[in-house]
Amino acid sequence: MKGLPAETDFVVIGAGVAGLRAAIELAVAGRVLLLTKNGEMTSTLSDEEEVILHLKDTLIAGDGLCRPEAVKTLVDEGPEHIEELISWGKQLGRNGTKLVFETEASYSHSHVLRAPGDSTGAEILRVLQAQVHTRKNISVQEFEFATELLTENQRVTGISLIDKKGLPEEVACSAVLLATGGMGQLYRNTTNAEAVTGDGVGMAVRAGAEVSDMEFIQFHPTVLYAKKTPRFLLSEALRREGGYLRNIELDRFMGKYHPLAEQAPGDVVARAIMHEMEVSRAKDPFVYLDLTHLNAARVQKRFPSIYATCMKHNIDITEDVIPVRPAAHFSIGGVRTDLESRTSLAGLYAAGETASTGVHGANRLAGNALLEGLVYGARAGKAMREELKQTHRVASAERKAASQNGPVDAGIEELIGQIQDILWKHAGIVRSSTGMRDTIRMLEDLWPRVAHPRTRRSYEAANLHLAGLLVARSALAREESRGAHYRTDYPGHDDKRFLKHSVVEGESLRFL
């Protein structure tokens, strides 16, 4: 693997679905530097089980805040990208794709993409990764951590990064795509990997770009709860299959909270579980997901990866109730973009969970994130190609003298833990004015400890700190409850004031 170039045509930061698809699109036009800060190309949503193309359900889930033109673009262009994926998958020989695209009887006028017996998200990544590796113009660099965007005359001209040896580097380019994923590590309980620290949002905001809808964080209601193990997502399809939720006393409880009981929207279920855990007064609270009344053979066949993972923790989901609790899962807001994935800053693009396209509105329909990554990743690539035609090719940057970053920051893990606890307690599933003001005050008190990052982990702490402040400020300003954002002091909708998107630029917060 070659080292980092001093300059290239395009930089793509992040190698999930959006980043991979953009890189493929860009490879026909120039040199692409694809950076991943981990040792492998992954996605937060690689365990999602299906992709559903459905305009109406997406708009309903978005609770009034979806941008109709963004959703229409998603649904109109989705099929061609899915067919393209399947075509690419067939080129993989004996290990060809498992992806199946079919009409789904339970969804009117919709189509579903699945990989029977496997994770659809993981299969999509496998196909895209194979395509990336066939394109000579794409240089994949692992363990490279982008820290800042370089700008000149209000235009992005490159990036600063900390390389795999811990040394500072700079790379010049004509355009940068942020596809770094979300910011799930804001919260103590999350389905997201440790690397998902809001890096794209942090870089964009420090460079002067706008962010939007930061108050909308989707919490998955049912995540496997086992001590000292990563939080494993238990698909909402388990409840659609007929699974029950039971409290610590094994009583079903969802009927008290919603007429649809376990079939209620995910945000309603998450809040109900939180309330049940609170009233239990248990030191280590959780509830149970119960599938034991369902056909065991069908459950094993329908959910093989969930069955296998739970068995590793000595839980047979066909015979045992499963301990679960909610966890942060998906960041609906992010860097504000148009339909071509352009941000408010020239030369800067964003796609996937990093971006706020308006597709998801106030709450995401499951499966739409994978499709959004495909469609808007490709759109970003096309727009960046056009930008290269209209701008002069960049000149090589003079490299800064490399120097070691010094010792690991003392107390950085404790600091990140403090940020996570503050957000989980005061700006999580259930919010209030008092809680949000406390969050802002406590995070501002921590500012001196994140003000001058030098190492990769201290930059991650700074990004989480900044993202947390943006979430709290936006949530405080939205004095209503909508979608994934719930306020105990404003439990209803206020369409007159807040049927709008929150937009933050620097210290300014407005609704548009």
Side-chain angles (χ1 to χ4, degrees), residues 59 62-71 210-216 332-337 355-363 474-475 477-478 480 482 494-505 508-512:
L59 294 174
D63 206 3
L65 275 192
C66 291
R67 289 177 62 196
E69 64 273 26
V71 180
E210 295 177 345
V211 293
S212 181
D213 295 336
M214 292 290 288
E215 64 270 36
F216 296 114
I332 293 166
V335 184
R336 190 182 185 211
T337 69
S356 178
T357 61
V359 160
H360 307 300
N363 211 357
S474 300
R478 184 173 289 278
E480 66 160 359
R482 186 182 298 274
D494 186 347
D495 287 350
K496 186 175 181 180
R497 296 174 62 202
F498 296 112
L499 194 60
K500 301 173 182 177
H501 298 274
S502 64
V503 178
V504 180
E505 182 181 14
S508 167
L509 190 156
R510 61 196 190 281
F511 287 91
L512 299 176

Side-chain angles (χ1 to χ4, degrees), residues 295-330:
N295 181 280
R298 176 176 168 80
V299 168
Q300 286 188 46
K301 183 177 180 181
R302 178 78 172 83
F303 307 103
S305 60
I306 292 175
Y307 180 82
T309 299
C310 289
M311 283 298 288
K312 291 178 182 177
H313 299 287
N314 297 316
I315 299 170
D316 183 338
I317 64 174
T318 65
E319 297 182 358
D320 307 318
V321 290
I322 313 164
V324 297
R325 59 163 55 167
H329 182 51
F330 188 84

